[in-house]
Amino acid sequence: MVFAGFFLSAKTIPNWLIWIKYLSWLYYSNEMALINQWEDVKSLDCNQVGNRTCYRTGNDILDYYGFKKAHYNRNLGLLFALFIGFR
């Protein structure tokens, strides 16, 4: 769960541990779920007084986590490959 992106950004994982996230089905499914949730969001309300971090669009949230919309189909294929490989 640590390497899936639930608790920390994929960009903050040390280089010598980065390979572990590619063995996690949670990583691929988490990225797909966040892309599905945030890809079409064009604007978000931002309260600067109570919130120091302000995201204006869904793409800002995807950038924060280090996820890319172009990876959606790749993730789907890799989930099937992991299913077959782990099976």
Side-chain angles (χ1 to χ4, degrees):
M1 287 184 67
V2 171
F3 296 103
F6 292 123
F7 300 115
L8 52 95
S9 173
K11 296 185 287 188
T12 61
I13 298 173
N15 289 336
W16 60 279
L17 289 175
I18 199 74
W19 62 272
I20 296 173
K21 76 177 184 177
Y22 296 112
L23 298 176
S24 171
W25 64 272
L26 284 172
Y27 169 73
Y28 300 113
S29 59
N30 182 39
E31 184 172 18
M32 289 176 66
L34 284 176
I35 291 169
N36 189 45
Q37 176 70 31
W38 296 110
E39 73 176 334
D40 293 327
V41 176
K42 302 298 182 210
S43 66
L44 296 168
D45 292 332
C46 183
N47 180 5
Q48 281 295 99
V49 176
N51 187 2
R52 292 185 182 155
T53 305
C54 186
Y55 302 110
R56 299 288 181 193
T57 66
N59 287 332
D60 293 341
I61 294 172
L62 293 175
D63 289 340
Y64 172 76
Y65 285 107
F67 295 150
K68 294 181 175 54
K69 288 193 255 184
H71 291 172
Y72 191 86
N73 291 329
R74 178 202 73 169
N75 290 344
L76 186 60
L78 289 171
L79 279 172
F80 282 118
L82 281 175
F83 173 73
I84 291 167
F86 286 155
R87 178 76 177 141

